């Protein structure tokens, strides 16, 4: 299991890891500083949510654990794990088309809405860590 006991942590490669889907009750950690940004995470078995500088970045229902989360000007990439399949919403650039890869396989192109949100489903049950990459 790859749950993040401290809720969020900075990794030596410059990425972040966050989320604990094993928690029975909601926990949050605010004011976590990373690369000049102020991060806030809320997580437990039902939801995991990440904000950066009060802007939406990531949400999963039910809760997940995310490792190696990296944002670039072209998109995001991370590994995700959970007890069951998850609906993931990412905060990206509005009205932008992205290529989406799950487990190394392309699932096609998706366009964000006016709010910049992109929704995808990830099959997690029994799969361990699953790679997700979203790029322009």
């Amino acid at each position: 299991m790859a749950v993040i006991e401290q809720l969020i942590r900075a990794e030596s490669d410059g990425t972040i890891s966050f989320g604990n889907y094993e928690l029975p009750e909601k926990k949050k950690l605010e004011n976590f500083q990373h690369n000049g940004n102020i991060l806030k995470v809320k997580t437990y078995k039902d939801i995991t949510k990440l904000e950066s500088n009060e802007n939406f970045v990531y949400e999963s229902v039910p809760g997940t654990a995310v490792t190696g989360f990296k944002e670039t000007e072209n998109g995001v990439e991370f590994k995700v794990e959970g007890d069951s399949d998850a609906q993931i919403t990412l905060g990206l650039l509005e009205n932008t088309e992205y290529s989406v890869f799950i487990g190394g396989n392309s699932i096609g192109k998706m366009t964000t809405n006016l709010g910049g949100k992109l929704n995808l489903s990830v099959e997690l049950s029994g799969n361990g860590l699953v790679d997700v990459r979203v790029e322009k």
Side-chain angles (χ1 to χ4, degrees):
M1 299 284 180
V3 297
I4 312 305
E5 296 294 334
Q6 61 272 52
L7 305 186
I8 189 169
R9 70 174 180 241
E11 304 293 355
S12 60
D13 63 2
T15 65
I16 59 168
S17 296
F18 59 93
N20 186 337
Y21 57 87
E22 294 179 339
L23 292 171
E25 295 181 11
K26 189 184 314 181
K27 301 280 185 192
K28 69 179 176 178
L29 181 68
E30 300 181 65
N31 299 317
F32 183 87
Q33 296 191 22
H34 180 71
N35 290 341
N37 296 307
I38 307 282
L39 305 177
K40 175 180 171 181
V41 66
K42 296 178 191 174
T43 187
Y44 75 123
K45 63 180 179 155
D46 292 337
I47 191 169
T48 295
K49 186 172 184 177
L50 177 71
E51 294 178 4
S52 177
N53 302 322
E54 298 185 8
N55 292 309
F56 176 85
V57 175
Y58 175 98
E59 180 178 277
S60 71
V61 176
T64 54
V66 175
T67 56
F69 187 91
K70 177 172 71 173
E71 287 184 281
T72 67
E73 61 186 36
N74 291 323
V76 297
E77 61 183 80
F78 55 92
K79 295 180 187 312
V80 63
E81 181 179 11
D83 277 339
S84 59
D85 298 347
Q87 294 289 318
I88 296 175
T89 304
L90 299 170
L92 300 165
L93 297 174
E94 64 183 41
N95 250 357
T96 303
E97 184 177 75
Y98 290 89
S99 296
V100 181
F101 300 86
I102 297 178
N105 300 312
S106 173
I107 64 165
K109 295 183 183 252
M110 301 173 83
T111 302
T112 55
N113 63 21
L114 289 176
K117 292 187 178 176
L118 185 137
N119 298 301
L120 53 115
S121 297
V122 180
E123 294 180 16
L124 298 175
S125 300
N127 288 332
L129 288 170
V130 175
D131 292 316
V132 176
R133 185 169 38 107
V134 178
E135 61 187 23
K136 287 196 273 184

